[in-house]
PDB file of all heavy atoms in Angstrom:
ATOM      1  N   PHE H   7       5.667   2.965  -2.054  1.00  0.00           N
ATOM      2  CA  PHE H   7       5.147   1.622  -1.717  1.00  0.00           C
ATOM      3  C   PHE H   7       3.675   1.653  -2.256  1.00  0.00           C
ATOM      4  O   PHE H   7       2.957   2.610  -2.400  1.00  0.00           O
ATOM      5  CB  PHE H   7       5.165   1.444  -0.197  1.00  0.00           C
ATOM      6  CG  PHE H   7       6.480   1.527   0.456  1.00  0.00           C
ATOM      7  CD1 PHE H   7       6.928   2.541   1.211  1.00  0.00           C
ATOM      8  CD2 PHE H   7       7.479   0.497   0.273  1.00  0.00           C
ATOM      9  CE1 PHE H   7       8.141   2.606   1.851  1.00  0.00           C
ATOM     10  CE2 PHE H   7       8.741   0.591   0.734  1.00  0.00           C
ATOM     11  CZ  PHE H   7       8.947   1.628   1.613  1.00  0.00           C
ATOM     12  N   PRO H  17      -1.248 -14.138   9.859  1.00  0.00           N
ATOM     13  CA  PRO H  17      -0.993 -14.983  11.013  1.00  0.00           C
ATOM     14  C   PRO H  17       0.537 -15.017  11.404  1.00  0.00           C
ATOM     15  O   PRO H  17       1.380 -14.910  10.528  1.00  0.00           O
ATOM     16  CB  PRO H  17      -1.527 -16.348  10.753  1.00  0.00           C
ATOM     17  CG  PRO H  17      -1.574 -16.304   9.242  1.00  0.00           C
ATOM     18  CD  PRO H  17      -1.742 -14.921   8.702  1.00  0.00           C
ATOM     19  N   LYS H  25      18.416 -17.244  11.668  1.00  0.00           N
ATOM     20  CA  LYS H  25      18.719 -18.529  11.117  1.00  0.00           C
ATOM     21  C   LYS H  25      17.348 -18.935  10.369  1.00  0.00           C
ATOM     22  O   LYS H  25      17.406 -19.636   9.380  1.00  0.00           O
ATOM     23  CB  LYS H  25      19.138 -19.530  12.115  1.00  0.00           C
ATOM     24  CG  LYS H  25      19.373 -20.891  11.658  1.00  0.00           C
ATOM     25  CD  LYS H  25      19.904 -21.817  12.633  1.00  0.00           C
ATOM     26  CE  LYS H  25      20.271 -23.131  12.071  1.00  0.00           C
ATOM     27  NZ  LYS H  25      20.783 -24.027  13.065  1.00  0.00           N
ATOM     28  N   TRP H  27      15.108 -17.043   8.939  1.00  0.00           N
ATOM     29  CA  TRP H  27      15.021 -16.296   7.656  1.00  0.00           C
ATOM     30  C   TRP H  27      15.980 -16.589   6.701  1.00  0.00           C
ATOM     31  O   TRP H  27      15.811 -16.600   5.504  1.00  0.00           O
ATOM     32  CB  TRP H  27      15.065 -14.817   8.051  1.00  0.00           C
ATOM     33  CG  TRP H  27      13.599 -14.381   8.466  1.00  0.00           C
ATOM     34  CD1 TRP H  27      13.253 -14.174   9.812  1.00  0.00           C
ATOM     35  CD2 TRP H  27      12.490 -14.010   7.648  1.00  0.00           C
ATOM     36  NE1 TRP H  27      11.847 -13.643   9.758  1.00  0.00           N
ATOM     37  CE2 TRP H  27      11.457 -13.641   8.486  1.00  0.00           C
ATOM     38  CE3 TRP H  27      12.229 -14.101   6.294  1.00  0.00           C
ATOM     39  CZ2 TRP H  27      10.237 -13.290   8.061  1.00  0.00           C
ATOM     40  CZ3 TRP H  27      11.017 -13.717   5.748  1.00  0.00           C
ATOM     41  CH2 TRP H  27      10.022 -13.390   6.613  1.00  0.00           C
ATOM     42  N   ASP H  38       7.114  -0.731  -5.284  1.00  0.00           N
ATOM     43  CA  ASP H  38       5.750  -0.289  -5.368  1.00  0.00           C
ATOM     44  C   ASP H  38       4.661  -1.518  -5.333  1.00  0.00           C
ATOM     45  O   ASP H  38       3.552  -1.363  -5.424  1.00  0.00           O
ATOM     46  CB  ASP H  38       5.462   0.511  -6.696  1.00  0.00           C
ATOM     47  CG  ASP H  38       5.783  -0.314  -7.908  1.00  0.00           C
ATOM     48  OD1 ASP H  38       6.089  -1.468  -7.766  1.00  0.00           O
ATOM     49  OD2 ASP H  38       5.701   0.239  -9.030  1.00  0.00           O
ATOM     50  N   LEU H  52      18.057   4.378   9.516  1.00  0.00           N
ATOM     51  CA  LEU H  52      18.097   4.865   8.261  1.00  0.00           C
ATOM     52  C   LEU H  52      19.615   5.378   7.837  1.00  0.00           C
ATOM     53  O   LEU H  52      20.140   5.071   6.846  1.00  0.00           O
ATOM     54  CB  LEU H  52      17.024   5.774   7.807  1.00  0.00           C
ATOM     55  CG  LEU H  52      17.148   6.406   6.492  1.00  0.00           C
ATOM     56  CD1 LEU H  52      16.778   5.387   5.280  1.00  0.00           C
ATOM     57  CD2 LEU H  52      16.214   7.593   6.360  1.00  0.00           C
ATOM     58  N   GLU H  55      25.653   3.853   9.171  1.00  0.00           N
ATOM     59  CA  GLU H  55      26.432   3.203   8.103  1.00  0.00           C
ATOM     60  C   GLU H  55      26.483   1.688   8.376  1.00  0.00           C
ATOM     61  O   GLU H  55      26.753   0.912   7.327  1.00  0.00           O
ATOM     62  CB  GLU H  55      27.864   3.826   8.118  1.00  0.00           C
ATOM     63  CG  GLU H  55      27.882   5.261   7.658  1.00  0.00           C
ATOM     64  CD  GLU H  55      29.261   5.829   7.647  1.00  0.00           C
ATOM     65  OE1 GLU H  55      30.278   4.985   7.520  1.00  0.00           O
ATOM     66  OE2 GLU H  55      29.457   6.937   7.659  1.00  0.00           O
ATOM     67  N   LEU H  63      20.978  -8.815   5.810  1.00  0.00           N
ATOM     68  CA  LEU H  63      21.347  -7.793   4.777  1.00  0.00           C
ATOM     69  C   LEU H  63      19.991  -7.566   3.875  1.00  0.00           C
ATOM     70  O   LEU H  63      19.941  -6.637   3.163  1.00  0.00           O
ATOM     71  CB  LEU H  63      22.391  -8.363   3.772  1.00  0.00           C
ATOM     72  CG  LEU H  63      23.839  -8.460   4.361  1.00  0.00           C
ATOM     73  CD1 LEU H  63      24.826  -9.106   3.372  1.00  0.00           C
ATOM     74  CD2 LEU H  63      24.354  -7.074   4.690  1.00  0.00           C
ATOM     75  N   TYR H  75       3.819  -8.008   2.208  1.00  0.00           N
ATOM     76  CA  TYR H  75       3.997  -7.121   3.371  1.00  0.00           C
ATOM     77  C   TYR H  75       5.471  -7.002   3.766  1.00  0.00           C
ATOM     78  O   TYR H  75       6.113  -8.080   3.966  1.00  0.00           O
ATOM     79  CB  TYR H  75       3.135  -7.670   4.558  1.00  0.00           C
ATOM     80  CG  TYR H  75       1.672  -7.618   4.258  1.00  0.00           C
ATOM     81  CD1 TYR H  75       1.095  -8.740   3.816  1.00  0.00           C
ATOM     82  CD2 TYR H  75       0.970  -6.445   4.495  1.00  0.00           C
ATOM     83  CE1 TYR H  75      -0.306  -8.751   3.669  1.00  0.00           C
ATOM     84  CE2 TYR H  75      -0.370  -6.486   4.341  1.00  0.00           C
ATOM     85  CZ  TYR H  75      -1.027  -7.556   3.870  1.00  0.00           C
ATOM     86  OH  TYR H  75      -2.368  -7.546   3.608  1.00  0.00           O
ATOM     87  N   LEU H  76       5.928  -5.829   3.863  1.00  0.00           N
ATOM     88  CA  LEU H  76       7.346  -5.495   4.349  1.00  0.00           C
ATOM     89  C   LEU H  76       7.288  -5.563   5.725  1.00  0.00           C
ATOM     90  O   LEU H  76       7.002  -4.676   6.473  1.00  0.00           O
ATOM     91  CB  LEU H  76       7.754  -4.214   3.866  1.00  0.00           C
ATOM     92  CG  LEU H  76       9.287  -3.738   4.175  1.00  0.00           C
ATOM     93  CD1 LEU H  76      10.260  -4.808   3.616  1.00  0.00           C
ATOM     94  CD2 LEU H  76       9.509  -2.401   3.736  1.00  0.00           C
ATOM     95  N   GLU H  77       7.839  -6.818   6.347  1.00  0.00           N
ATOM     96  CA  GLU H  77       7.761  -6.974   7.822  1.00  0.00           C
ATOM     97  C   GLU H  77       8.937  -6.335   8.527  1.00  0.00           C
ATOM     98  O   GLU H  77       8.771  -5.733   9.557  1.00  0.00           O
ATOM     99  CB  GLU H  77       7.691  -8.489   8.085  1.00  0.00           C
ATOM    100  CG  GLU H  77       7.741  -8.835   9.507  1.00  0.00           C
ATOM    101  CD  GLU H  77       7.573 -10.285   9.802  1.00  0.00           C
ATOM    102  OE1 GLU H  77       6.489 -10.769   9.686  1.00  0.00           O
ATOM    103  OE2 GLU H  77       8.611 -10.950  10.077  1.00  0.00           O
ATOM    104  N   GLY H  79      12.958  -4.313   7.724  1.00  0.00           N
ATOM    105  CA  GLY H  79      13.821  -3.604   6.713  1.00  0.00           C
ATOM    106  C   GLY H  79      13.258  -2.396   6.053  1.00  0.00           C
ATOM    107  O   GLY H  79      13.720  -2.087   4.937  1.00  0.00           O
ATOM    108  N   HIS H  81      13.828   0.544   6.812  1.00  0.00           N
ATOM    109  CA  HIS H  81      14.979   1.431   6.548  1.00  0.00           C
ATOM    110  C   HIS H  81      15.764   1.142   5.334  1.00  0.00           C
ATOM    111  O   HIS H  81      16.156   2.057   4.543  1.00  0.00           O
ATOM    112  CB  HIS H  81      15.850   1.652   7.787  1.00  0.00           C
ATOM    113  CG  HIS H  81      16.576   0.475   8.192  1.00  0.00           C
ATOM    114  ND1 HIS H  81      15.924  -0.694   8.663  1.00  0.00           N
ATOM    115  CD2 HIS H  81      17.864   0.013   7.901  1.00  0.00           C
ATOM    116  CE1 HIS H  81      16.859  -1.715   8.858  1.00  0.00           C
ATOM    117  NE2 HIS H  81      17.869  -1.341   8.480  1.00  0.00           N
ATOM    118  N   THR H  86      16.845   2.464  -0.412  1.00  0.00           N
ATOM    119  CA  THR H  86      16.804   2.030  -1.779  1.00  0.00           C
ATOM    120  C   THR H  86      16.077   3.174  -2.565  1.00  0.00           C
ATOM    121  O   THR H  86      16.523   3.637  -3.605  1.00  0.00           O
ATOM    122  CB  THR H  86      16.041   0.706  -1.884  1.00  0.00           C
ATOM    123  OG1 THR H  86      16.864  -0.271  -1.283  1.00  0.00           O
ATOM    124  CG2 THR H  86      15.994   0.340  -3.430  1.00  0.00           C
ATOM    125  N   LEU H  88      15.736   6.343  -1.782  1.00  0.00           N
ATOM    126  CA  LEU H  88      16.383   7.574  -1.686  1.00  0.00           C
ATOM    127  C   LEU H  88      17.540   7.546  -2.788  1.00  0.00           C
ATOM    128  O   LEU H  88      17.967   8.594  -3.261  1.00  0.00           O
ATOM    129  CB  LEU H  88      17.014   7.826  -0.403  1.00  0.00           C
ATOM    130  CG  LEU H  88      15.987   8.242   0.747  1.00  0.00           C
ATOM    131  CD1 LEU H  88      16.618   8.253   2.155  1.00  0.00           C
ATOM    132  CD2 LEU H  88      15.426   9.579   0.435  1.00  0.00           C
ATOM    133  N   THR H  92      14.216   1.349  -7.735  1.00  0.00           N
ATOM    134  CA  THR H  92      12.728   0.897  -7.476  1.00  0.00           C
ATOM    135  C   THR H  92      12.741  -0.581  -7.195  1.00  0.00           C
ATOM    136  O   THR H  92      11.701  -1.086  -6.853  1.00  0.00           O
ATOM    137  CB  THR H  92      12.010   1.007  -8.822  1.00  0.00           C
ATOM    138  OG1 THR H  92      12.567   0.299  -9.857  1.00  0.00           O
ATOM    139  CG2 THR H  92      11.833   2.530  -9.050  1.00  0.00           C
ATOM    140  N   ILE H  93      13.995  -1.311  -7.205  1.00  0.00           N
ATOM    141  CA  ILE H  93      14.056  -2.766  -6.893  1.00  0.00           C
ATOM    142  C   ILE H  93      15.033  -2.972  -5.726  1.00  0.00           C
ATOM    143  O   ILE H  93      15.892  -2.379  -5.789  1.00  0.00           O
ATOM    144  CB  ILE H  93      14.455  -3.596  -8.123  1.00  0.00           C
ATOM    145  CG1 ILE H  93      13.294  -3.392  -9.233  1.00  0.00           C
ATOM    146  CG2 ILE H  93      14.670  -5.041  -7.922  1.00  0.00           C
ATOM    147  CD1 ILE H  93      13.606  -3.992 -10.524  1.00  0.00           C
ATOM    148  N   ARG H  97      14.077 -11.257   1.262  1.00  0.00           N
ATOM    149  CA  ARG H  97      13.661 -12.634   1.548  1.00  0.00           C
ATOM    150  C   ARG H  97      12.015 -12.644   1.777  1.00  0.00           C
ATOM    151  O   ARG H  97      11.591 -11.844   2.410  1.00  0.00           O
ATOM    152  CB  ARG H  97      14.190 -13.184   2.886  1.00  0.00           C
ATOM    153  CG  ARG H  97      15.707 -13.030   2.937  1.00  0.00           C
ATOM    154  CD  ARG H  97      16.258 -13.784   4.158  1.00  0.00           C
ATOM    155  NE  ARG H  97      17.665 -13.531   4.221  1.00  0.00           N
ATOM    156  CZ  ARG H  97      18.653 -14.262   3.656  1.00  0.00           C
ATOM    157  NH1 ARG H  97      18.239 -15.259   2.961  1.00  0.00           N
ATOM    158  NH2 ARG H  97      19.868 -13.947   3.898  1.00  0.00           N
TER     159      ARG H  97
END
Side-chain angles (χ1 to χ4, degrees):
F7 300 108
K25 186 177 179 180
W27 279 100
D38 62 2
L52 177 67
E55 291 182 24
L63 292 174
Y75 294 97
L76 180 62
E77 178 176 283
H81 63 289
T86 297
L88 289 172
T92 58
I93 295 176
R97 298 185 191 277

